[in-house]
Amino acid sequence: MTTTVQTKTYLNYINGEWIASASNEVDKSINPANSQEIVGYVQKSTEDDLNRAVNAAKQAKENWRKLSGAARGEYLYKAAAILEKRIDEIAECATREMGKTFAETKGETARGIAILKYYAGEGMRKVGDVIPSTDSSALMFTTRVPLGVVGVITPWNFPIAIPIWKMAPALVYGNTIVVKPATETAVTLAKIIECFEEAGFPAGVVNMVTGPGSVIGQGIADHEDINGITFTGSNGVGKRIGQAALKRGAKYQLEMGGKNPVIVAADADLDLAVEAVIAGAFRSTGQKCTATSRVIVEQGIYEEFKEKLVQKTQEITIGNGLDSTVWMGPSASESQLNTVLSYIEKGLEEGAELLTGGKRVVEGELANGFYVEPTIFDHCTEDMAIVQEEIFGPVIALLKAESVEDALKIANNVQYGLSASIFTTNIQHLLSFVNDMEAGLIRVNAESAGVELQAPFGGMKNSSSHSREQGEAAKEFFTSIKTVFVK
Ligand code: NAP
Ligand code: MG
């Protein structure tokens, strides 16, 4: 007997209820490993839906703010426990929605659980300092207050961890939220919101509205009743959000693209470097904001490094991320695949030489998905588009440097500054890299991708609005300081 599972339609979550959009329209969420599979339908919401959600968040904010931090933290502990029970199901959903392997989405869900627990504990940590007043009979101190209603806009590449690392601190510091996920991965977020619902947050504290970025995302940026906006995504969209927020005086935080370099010095452990470059460049199909996309190698070891890198790259297994023997899944969407392929074409036009990869994968069942080969370009120059622009796919541009000093110059010659790493055993090289590399995340003898939830995360230059997320740094964005003088 065959059973047909009906594709589920997910609703908006507003004021503690799941409700359909006034538009009566839905968007499809497609599996990039097999574009015939629809993972779910999500609401194609309108401005009216957003207004209802913002209004609910506004109504809820007074009572939520007045709870103790510890009481707010309890809700996060509950959400963590519920997410833990659903880890396999939610990780599988994320793999179906955006393609990265189940091992990666499971790791990401585990990260989400850890973030919830970290910020649950944060509800009991200090929110201010005592500052000696010049008046010896007075008490002066700082405390922190929430912003009010926070709008959360998230991308599809980390559909679990990024929403949680924004929602958890926003909530524990006393804000209410309206979250708009990337349409590509809205089903995964709906499941996370189900966990929040089951944790029993009061109505209106957590709201989710799905729909087009140009309507719901822009609507959040423009909404007079949204006091803070936290965004992760592309530069173009981020800048528009920043401008809209600035215009009406809302606080904002933007985490955007990267063009992350790895420098391999002549004194490096080459096998370690090769392994880290492969993981940094090709895990998640190159779709991490901290992914390695430029590899700058000192001339003496260039040929040897290149040979080892190409050989290891050709061993990568490509396929459906739910198959445990597969190392790399598809690009997350057809448009992402097309972007990657067009950059590969541009690289060839500009005179770079293809060492391996470069094509869409169309063998057998893979033809139904958005697969692209892991790709390495040689003979790249600093002015090429593949060296300057974020591709967000499994593509490495190899560059040759005369020295580590020269490599650092090349590494800094981009508009981005998110993460960067160096492989070296020389303390002088290590120190000049730490001092002179323009990036928010500096890694030594480790891959460029890799973030710990208890440490600040964010970029320099065009990678960020210069704010930081995660760890204690989240407190800076999600609260305002009040200075109190008591006599
Ligand atoms: P994106 O196109 O900028 O989308 C991000 C979010 O913004 C989505 O929810 C999107 O909604 C929404 N949006 C689209 N147009 C909008 C508008 N006009 N106003 C307001 N919101 C709008 O980015 P993406 O393709 O999802 O994600 C990839 C990018 O994210 C890459 O550039 C990557 O580097 C960056 N990223 C950065 C970090 C970091 O921490 N620095 C981390 C991960 C990813 P729709 O889905 O409905 O279009
Ligand atoms: Mg999808």
Side-chain angles (χ1 to χ4, degrees):
M1 195 183 81
T2 53
T3 47
T4 13
V5 183
Q6 227 191 335
T7 305
K8 194 172 161 183
T9 299
Y10 293 82
L11 304 178
N12 287 328
Y13 187 66
I14 299 175
N15 207 22
E17 285 179 65
W18 294 95
I19 48 178
S21 164
S23 73
N24 270 323
E25 284 183 66
V26 290
D27 280 314
K28 286 194 274 221
S29 173
I30 284 171
N31 183 347
N34 170 14
S35 59
Q36 263 118 57
E37 182 191 331
I38 298 168
V39 182
Y41 295 99
V42 296
Q43 302 299 303
K44 190 171 185 176
S45 306
T46 64
E47 229 166 290
D48 283 348
D49 302 312
L50 176 64
N51 287 338
R52 285 170 79 169
V54 176
N55 198 43
K58 192 179 169 187
Q59 299 304 320
K61 75 179 181 184
E62 275 312 294
N63 286 338
W64 184 245
R65 176 175 71 87
K66 285 180 176 154
L67 284 183
S68 69
R72 291 193 294 259
E74 280 303 318
Y75 289 100
L76 294 184
Y77 278 126
K78 282 187 195 140
I82 295 157
L83 186 54
E84 210 153 13
K85 276 195 216 137
R86 293 181 60 179
I87 183 167
D88 284 329
E89 172 217 340
I90 289 177
E92 185 184 324
C93 175
T95 293
R96 284 187 195 281
E97 265 199 309
M98 63 75 64
K100 71 179 151 193
T101 63
F102 180 72
E104 290 177 284
T105 51
K106 189 160 180 180
E108 188 186 338
T109 316
R111 173 63 64 99
I113 295 161
I115 295 168
L116 285 166
K117 290 178 183 167
Y118 175 90
Y119 284 109
E122 193 61 14
M124 293 183 83
R125 294 195 192 100
K126 70 170 190 150
V127 289
D129 297 299
V130 174
I131 299 150
S133 168
T134 52
D135 180 340
S136 61
S137 65
L139 168 66
M140 187 161 67
F141 63 94
T142 60
T143 185
R144 283 180 182 267
V145 292
L147 303 179
V149 178
V150 168
V152 177
I153 305 173
T154 55
W156 45 260
N157 67 332
F158 283 98
I160 301 156
I162 291 179
I164 291 179
W165 86 44
K166 293 175 183 297
M167 297 194 293
L171 291 167
V172 84
Y173 297 127
N175 303 282
T176 56
I177 59 173
V178 176
V179 47
K180 182 235 153 336
T183 305
E184 292 289 348
T185 52
V187 172
T188 300
L189 191 76
K191 287 176 181 276
I192 291 168
I193 297 292
E194 286 170 3
C195 298
F196 279 68
E197 178 193 32
E198 202 184 325
F201 282 87
V205 171
V206 177
N207 305 276
M208 178 193 75
V209 181
T210 59
S214 56
V215 178
I216 307 305
Q218 189 67 42
I220 286 176
D222 289 332
H223 206 295
E224 284 297 333
D225 290 329
I226 292 185
N227 310 99
I229 301 147
T230 174
F231 167 85
T232 297
S234 62
N235 271 63
V237 173
K239 286 205 170 123
R240 289 178 61 159
I241 291 175
Q243 280 163 0
L246 193 62
K247 209 162 150 190
R248 60 182 186 82
K251 196 171 180 182
Y252 65 92
Q253 173 187 60
L254 314 170
E255 290 304 336
M256 303 175 287
K259 191 70 193 171
N260 313 299
V262 171
I263 294 176
V264 186
D267 55 64
D269 177 333
L270 285 199
D271 292 328
L272 189 73
V274 166
E275 206 175 294
V277 165
I278 298 269
F282 300 139
R283 276 280 181 213
S284 289
T285 321
Q287 301 167 126
K288 294 181 187 176
C289 51
T290 51
T292 302
S293 61
R294 296 177 295 148
V295 182
I296 308 162
V297 186
E298 228 182 321
Q299 54 189 2
I301 50 145
Y302 189 86
E303 295 303 323
E304 189 189 348
F305 177 83
K306 183 170 95 179
E307 204 172 297
K308 285 183 181 222
L309 185 69
V310 169
Q311 192 207 323
K312 284 273 173 206
T313 299
Q314 288 169 345
E315 289 168 11
I316 289 174
T317 50
I318 305 171
N320 189 323
L322 291 177
D323 174 347
S324 62
T325 64
V326 160
W327 194 90
M328 190 179 98
S331 287
S333 65
E334 187 165 22
S335 79
Q336 199 57 41
L337 171 72
N338 288 336
T339 303
V340 175
L341 293 174
S342 76
Y343 270 109
I344 291 171
E345 215 162 286
K346 215 180 274 183
L348 289 169
E349 273 165 26
E350 288 183 329
E353 184 197 317
L354 205 50
L355 288 176
T356 186
K359 290 189 304 294
R360 182 173 180 172
V361 184
V362 288
E363 276 88 54
E365 279 187 0
L366 300 194
N368 296 325
F370 307 131
Y371 295 96
V372 60
E373 293 170 340
T375 297
I376 305 175
F377 276 111
D378 196 4
H379 299 298
C380 299
T381 54
E382 286 175 74
D383 55 334
M384 288 179 180
I386 56 167
V387 176
Q388 290 296 327
E389 296 169 24
E390 184 181 54
I391 300 174
F392 228 52
V395 182
I396 291 175
L398 272 180
L399 295 121
K400 195 186 285 181
E402 284 166 16
S403 60
V404 168
E405 201 189 345
D406 181 37
L408 245 167
K409 270 198 205 122
I410 297 171
N412 278 328
N413 183 21
V414 289
Q415 60 162 319
Y416 295 111
L418 190 52
S419 74
S421 92
I422 189 168
F423 283 81
T424 182
T425 50
N426 177 309
I427 189 95
Q428 214 47 56
H429 293 336
L430 185 166
L431 287 176
S432 42
F433 183 75
V434 169
N435 288 329
D436 300 335
M437 186 67 224
E438 297 160 359
L441 192 65
I442 299 288
R443 316 247 309 158
V444 178
N445 294 324
E447 67 172 278
S448 70
V451 172
E452 297 206 30
L453 65 100
Q454 70 280 25
F457 172 66
M460 292 182 181
K461 304 202 280 193
N462 273 342
S463 290
S464 153
S465 57
H466 315 289
S467 36
R468 291 290 179 267
E469 298 193 274
Q470 304 204 65
E472 263 189 84
K475 191 155 50 184
E476 295 303 325
F477 180 73
F478 290 108
T479 62
S480 282
I481 293 177
K482 229 181 220 181
T483 303
V484 184
F485 179 86
V486 183
K487 173 120 174 123

